[in-house]
Amino acid sequence: MLSDDELLRYSRQILLKQIDVDGQLRLKHGRVLIVGMGGLGSPVALYLAAAGVGELHLADFDTVDLTNLQRQIAHDTASIGQAKVDSAMARLAAINPQITLVPHRQALDADSLAAAVSSVDLVLDCSDNFSTREAVNAACVAAGKPLVSGAAIRLEGQLSVFDPCNAASPCYHCLYGHGSEAELTCSEAGVVGPLVGLVGSLQALEALKLLAGFGEPLVGRLLLIDALGTRFRELRVKRDPACEVCGGR
């Protein structure tokens, strides 16, 4: 059941016939893992907390730096030097004290990542390197959990949803293989703040659609964002039957 306070707090999205009270209840009972509390993870966490997703697991081993504040909107000047997870938890609790926040302050190894993924309904990859994305993808495939993957660098962004339970859905490895670490991080290549905000907001929207059960998630589609020209392009993507991660499923 939703309390009177919850009905009022979430009234604007409950008014949507695609969500309604039943959808809001699904959000309330939803459990989500957000990997990375930086430029992408900040808007993801803020919007999911505000929307009433009941349990947010926040994973990040880094601390807040002055250079983060141009784009990582969950943090502020006073939080410089703090663990990003702690800084984000304080902000999220202030926005919505009714949700549960579960911190993961250490780097997730294979075992702890597998346990973290298994304990939630949905995973959002908001990291900024291929090795983490590959590990998160493999854990999601093994656990059969949907993965909302976003990336932003320079003036370009990408977004897709990978669902191991959907026979037509590729996984992250199907698209990118083992990838490359070259010029991958914002600290090396640069990025404009509103772009990561846009990609993160779209990731949060995809998560709400998956949790509440409405709309058409970006499964089997890759959204490409050109911020320089304000253009969006969509590519159809298929599962690779020879993929070493999901091909045998």
Side-chain angles (χ1 to χ4, degrees):
M1 294 290 293
L2 296 173
S3 67
D4 290 344
D5 183 74
E6 288 172 321
L7 288 170
L8 183 59
R9 177 183 286 267
Y10 309 121
S11 60
R12 297 303 186 270
Q13 62 192 30
I14 290 174
L15 284 171
L16 298 171
K17 65 178 182 180
Q18 293 88 349
I19 298 180
D20 207 344
V21 172
D22 290 340
Q24 190 63 52
L25 280 170
R26 286 191 286 270
L27 294 180
K28 180 178 181 177
H29 296 132
R31 300 165 300 161
V32 169
L33 170 64
I34 305 171
V35 181
M37 287 309 306
L40 297 174
S42 289
V44 164
L46 292 172
Y47 274 119
L48 294 187
V53 176
E55 188 171 298
L56 299 181
H57 296 234
L58 312 179
D60 201 307
F61 60 87
D62 203 1
T63 57
V64 180
D65 183 82
L66 179 61
T67 61
N68 300 150
L69 302 185
Q70 162 256 0
R71 65 197 179 281
Q72 300 183 15
I73 58 175
H75 316 299
D76 56 31
T77 303
S79 62
I80 291 174
Q82 292 181 14
K84 287 185 179 179
V85 166
D86 293 337
S87 171
M89 286 180 65
R91 181 85 171 96
L92 300 179
I95 291 174
N96 192 347
Q98 298 176 335
I99 63 174
T100 300
L101 300 171
V102 180
H104 299 272
R105 299 182 183 89
Q106 306 299 320
L108 298 174
D109 58 21
D111 291 337
S112 58
L113 179 58
V117 170
S118 296
S119 67
V120 298
D121 306 309
L122 173 68
V123 179
L124 292 107
D125 184 358
C126 302
S127 63
D128 65 352
N129 63 85
F130 269 118
S131 59
T132 300
R133 291 172 184 165
E134 277 279 270
V136 171
N137 174 69
C140 287
V141 171
K145 300 297 174 72
L147 171 63
V148 182
S149 178
I153 199 74
R154 303 184 187 90
L155 291 160
E156 300 173 352
Q158 296 184 2
L159 178 73
S160 192
V161 175
F162 307 110
D163 186 357
C165 296
N166 185 330
S169 173
C171 75
Y172 182 87
H173 191 83
C174 291
L175 271 65
Y176 299 103
H178 292 289
S180 169
E181 295 293 345
E183 296 186 319
L184 190 63
T185 64
C186 297
S187 61
E188 296 169 341
V191 68
V192 64
L195 174 61
V196 291
L198 173 60
V199 176
S201 295
L202 289 172
Q203 284 184 269
L205 177 59
E206 291 300 308
L208 294 180
K209 287 158 62 177
L210 289 164
L211 291 170
F214 68 94
E216 181 185 357
L218 269 172
V219 176
R221 296 181 289 149
L222 177 65
L223 182 66
L224 302 176
I225 301 170
D226 170 15
L228 190 61
T230 316
R231 293 183 176 89
F232 295 79
R233 187 160 58 103
E234 181 183 296
L235 301 178
R236 293 284 177 175
V237 290
K238 297 181 179 180
R239 173 176 288 190
D240 177 5
C243 175
E244 61 188 63
V245 176
C246 73
R249 293 181 64 86

